[in-house]
């Protein structure tokens, strides 16, 4: 065979190998990575439906002790959690021992201590399910149902980086006021026959309280992470300026990711890929408000980016804010495991999984059909963005093998 023919054959073989890799990683089942990710997906599917009213029966530990033992450097809960339904049920029903104003922040919340000493964050209902938040993608009050939906999306995507969240129906008169601190009680008032409170926060105003229907208020309850895992706050490299007429560098510099790659902790370890995973997560839920993020302290960049404070999500099902995906389309890289999971969720599988996961939440229905349809539509946008990256720079440079599952201490 002549040299020229050999070169042509070699190029053809390399081209076919490249196509095979893209196929196997685009929802195929042939590669070891795809088979492993498919098994993880099937396991997730089988555990999606949570039994209503479940309780722990096989252990003397409290639900809080069980959940605390789940936390590790790279996960808030493991991929197998048969006790999850029982822990969520305890969150939604356990007696409130103490109620106080929330920790510092911009949005109204209450800090509760449940029976057994477990701290949780309560976010009250501010909008009806079908209310559309107009304006900037980060506008409006916190949405309690967004916290619930975001937690279940975290489960479905296999990230396992969001604290546990469940809906809860509270009687403010009988459950909260008798155990409330003077500081919280001072923010209670009546609007007609409805009990309201406005708490203490940067944007909390007596003129803008959250109101129950009579004494009964719907909200979300988020499990406080164990104190043995203190948090460290970081400025998000793709954060917005929140100033009219002033753009952040990433908004006008298409090469911005190259600069980020030179800065710790993004120059080594899993953090940059975590940021990209989070951009995908935030785009799906419509969250354009992640100006900071948290990891565990003194982690050297190895711990996960924790998916806290997702309540500025699911505000407008008709708005797909593409700028949220900037880390993905500027860096043009994504984990193989994330890519495989996204492909397994296309064709309506994502919205179907979300319906199943949230079917027994006390705040059901958590999302409207328009928001569920938006999840499927936005997923197609993410997949198209990754494919465009593969077309311009190749699959090898776009799909990154990084499973960095660090063991528990």
């Amino acid at each position: 065979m002549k040299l020229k023919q050999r070169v042509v054959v070699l190029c053809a073989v390399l081209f076919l190998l490249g196509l095979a890799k893209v196929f196997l990683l685009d929802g195929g089942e042939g590669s070891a990575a795809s088979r492993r990710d498919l098994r993880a997906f099937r396991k997730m599917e089988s555990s999606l439906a949570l039994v209503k009213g479940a309780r722990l029966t096989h252990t003397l530990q409290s639900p809080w002790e069980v959940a605390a033992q789940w936390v590790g450097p790279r996960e808030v809960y493991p991929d197998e959690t048969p006790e999850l339904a029982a822990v969520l049920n305890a969150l939604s029903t356990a007696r409130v021992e103490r109620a106080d104003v929330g920790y510092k922040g911009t949005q109204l919340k209450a800090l509760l201590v449940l029976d057994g000493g477990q701290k949780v964050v309560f976010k009250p209902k501010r909008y009806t399910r079908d209310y559309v938040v107009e304006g900037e993608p980060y506008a409006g009050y916190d949405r309690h149902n967004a916290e619930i939906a975001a937690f279940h999306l975290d489960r479905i995507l296999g990230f396992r980086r969001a604290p546990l969240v469940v809906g809860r129906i509270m009687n403010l008169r009988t459950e909260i006021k008798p155990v409330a601190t003077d500081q919280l009680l001072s923010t209670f008032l009546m609007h007609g026959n409805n009990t309201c409170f406005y708490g203490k926060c940067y944007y909390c105003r007596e003129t803008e309280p959250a109101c129950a229907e009579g004494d009964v208020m719907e909200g979300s309850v988020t499990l406080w992470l164990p104190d043995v895992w203190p948090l460290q706050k970081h400025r998000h490299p793709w954060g917005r300026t929140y100033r009219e007429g002033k753009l952040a560098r990433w908004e006008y510099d298409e090469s911005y990711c190259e600069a980020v790659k030179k800065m710790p902790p993004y120059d080594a370890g899993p953090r940059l890929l975590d940021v990209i995973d989070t951009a995908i997560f935030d785009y799906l839920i419509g969250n354009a408000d992640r100006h900071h993020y948290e990891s565990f302290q003194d982690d050297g960049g190895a711990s996960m980016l924790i998916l806290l404070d997702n309540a500025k999500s699911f505000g407008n099902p008709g708005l797909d804010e593409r700028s949220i995906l900037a880390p993905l389309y500027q860096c043009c890289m994504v984990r193989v495991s994330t890519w495989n999971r996204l492909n397994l969720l296309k064709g309506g599988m994502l919205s179907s999984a979300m319906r199943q996961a949230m079917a027994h939440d006390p705040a059901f229905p958590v999302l409207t059909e328009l928001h569920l349809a938006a999840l499927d539509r936005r997923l197609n946008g993410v997949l198209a963005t990754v494919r465009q990256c593969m077309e311009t720079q190749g699959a090898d440079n776009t799909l990154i093998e990084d499973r960095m599952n660090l063991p528990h201490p």
Side-chain angles (χ1 to χ4, degrees):
M1 187 181 291
K2 295 181 180 179
L3 179 61
K4 185 176 181 180
Q5 291 174 316
R6 289 176 180 173
V7 171
V8 170
V9 170
L10 179 60
C11 290
V13 169
L14 291 174
F15 176 74
L16 290 173
L17 287 173
L19 285 179
K21 177 174 181 180
V22 172
F23 170 76
L24 292 174
L25 296 174
D26 190 6
E29 301 179 14
S31 71
S34 293
R35 290 194 298 272
R36 185 163 58 244
D37 290 334
L38 180 60
R39 287 194 297 271
F41 180 76
R42 297 304 180 208
K43 189 183 296 182
M44 179 277 297
E45 275 189 313
S46 66
S47 63
L48 264 183
L50 301 174
V51 178
K52 190 174 183 178
R55 297 183 182 278
L56 293 176
T57 58
H58 67 288
T59 177
L60 296 177
Q61 291 181 308
S62 73
W64 324 133
E65 291 170 323
V66 171
Q69 290 174 357
W70 288 341
V71 182
R74 296 292 304 168
E75 61 187 14
V76 175
Y77 51 94
D79 58 351
E80 292 190 63
T81 50
E83 308 91 349
L84 179 61
V87 175
L88 292 177
N89 181 56
L91 276 173
S92 66
T93 59
R95 179 177 59 87
V96 180
E97 292 184 341
R98 187 170 181 269
D100 200 355
V101 296
Y103 56 91
K104 64 180 181 179
T106 62
Q107 297 287 318
L108 172 60
K109 62 185 78 71
L111 181 62
L112 310 181
V113 178
L114 301 184
D115 187 24
Q118 178 62 53
K119 288 189 289 187
V120 299
V121 177
F122 178 76
K123 293 190 176 181
K125 176 182 176 181
R126 305 298 296 261
Y127 299 115
T128 59
R129 293 291 190 275
D130 57 357
Y131 183 87
V132 175
V133 179
E134 303 286 357
E136 298 292 344
Y138 45 81
Y141 299 123
D142 274 2
R143 277 80 80 175
H144 74 294
N145 59 313
E147 291 281 17
I148 303 166
F151 162 66
H152 289 289
L153 179 64
D154 175 68
R155 291 175 58 209
I156 291 165
L157 293 177
F159 292 163
R160 306 193 303 278
R161 301 170 205 160
L164 276 58
V165 186
V166 69
R168 179 155 180 168
I169 311 301
M170 307 285 291
N171 188 304
L172 298 182
R173 179 176 56 83
T174 61
E175 293 185 80
I176 300 298
K177 294 181 77 172
V179 296
T181 62
D182 291 340
Q183 189 177 25
L184 179 59
L185 276 176
S186 69
T187 73
F188 273 78
L189 65 153
M190 297 296 295
H191 274 195
N193 294 323
N194 298 327
T195 302
C196 312
F197 76 100
Y198 56 92
K200 300 283 186 182
C201 70
Y202 187 79
Y203 290 127
C204 289
R205 304 283 187 274
E206 184 175 355
T207 54
E208 299 180 37
C211 292
E213 295 184 9
D215 293 320
V216 178
M217 173 176 279
E218 179 182 288
S220 66
V221 174
T222 302
L223 187 68
W224 197 272
L225 289 170
D227 291 337
V228 296
W229 292 95
L231 300 180
Q232 182 174 353
K233 195 168 190 176
H234 310 266
R235 182 175 294 279
H236 197 295
W238 276 269
R240 300 171 189 275
T241 65
Y242 296 89
R243 299 179 199 167
E244 188 175 353
K246 182 174 176 57
L247 298 178
R249 179 179 168 183
W250 63 267
E251 294 180 280
Y252 59 82
D253 183 358
E254 285 300 315
S255 64
Y256 175 70
C257 183
E258 295 307 311
V260 173
K261 289 179 181 178
K262 298 173 184 177
M263 303 184 298
Y266 310 106
D267 57 345
R271 187 62 59 78
L272 181 56
L273 289 169
D274 281 0
V275 168
I276 293 168
D277 279 348
T278 302
I280 293 170
F281 176 81
D282 283 340
Y283 179 70
L284 292 174
I285 64 179
N287 176 25
D289 194 44
R290 204 173 296 280
H291 43 84
H292 289 80
Y293 68 84
E294 285 80 14
S295 69
F296 293 129
Q297 279 186 8
D298 303 320
D299 60 6
S303 97
M304 61 189 162
L305 189 164
I306 304 168
L307 297 173
L308 285 171
D309 293 332
N310 303 304
K312 283 295 183 69
S313 312
F314 298 105
N316 187 343
L319 176 63
D320 299 342
E321 181 55 53
R322 182 168 167 76
S323 65
I324 301 171
L325 279 180
L328 174 63
Y329 60 70
Q330 289 183 352
C331 297
C332 256
M333 54 193 289
V334 68
R335 283 188 171 95
V336 169
S337 56
T338 300
W339 173 242
N340 286 341
R341 177 60 60 96
L342 295 175
N343 274 285
L344 288 166
L345 289 166
K346 63 189 179 184
M349 281 295 297
L350 177 55
S351 59
S352 176
M354 288 288 283
R355 286 188 192 91
Q356 189 175 359
M358 301 184 296
H360 295 306
D361 191 275
F364 178 86
V366 177
L367 294 177
T368 66
E369 286 299 313
L370 286 176
H371 282 296
L372 290 166
L375 283 169
D376 289 331
R377 183 182 69 243
R378 291 166 187 162
L379 173 59
N380 289 334
V382 174
L383 294 172
T385 299
V386 177
R387 290 193 190 99
Q388 186 175 17
C389 286
M390 288 193 289
E391 289 173 5
T392 56
Q393 65 174 38
D396 286 331
N397 294 319
T398 302
L399 304 174
I400 310 300
E401 182 65 56
D402 175 17
R403 296 171 187 271
M404 198 165 179
N405 293 317
L406 301 182
H408 286 249

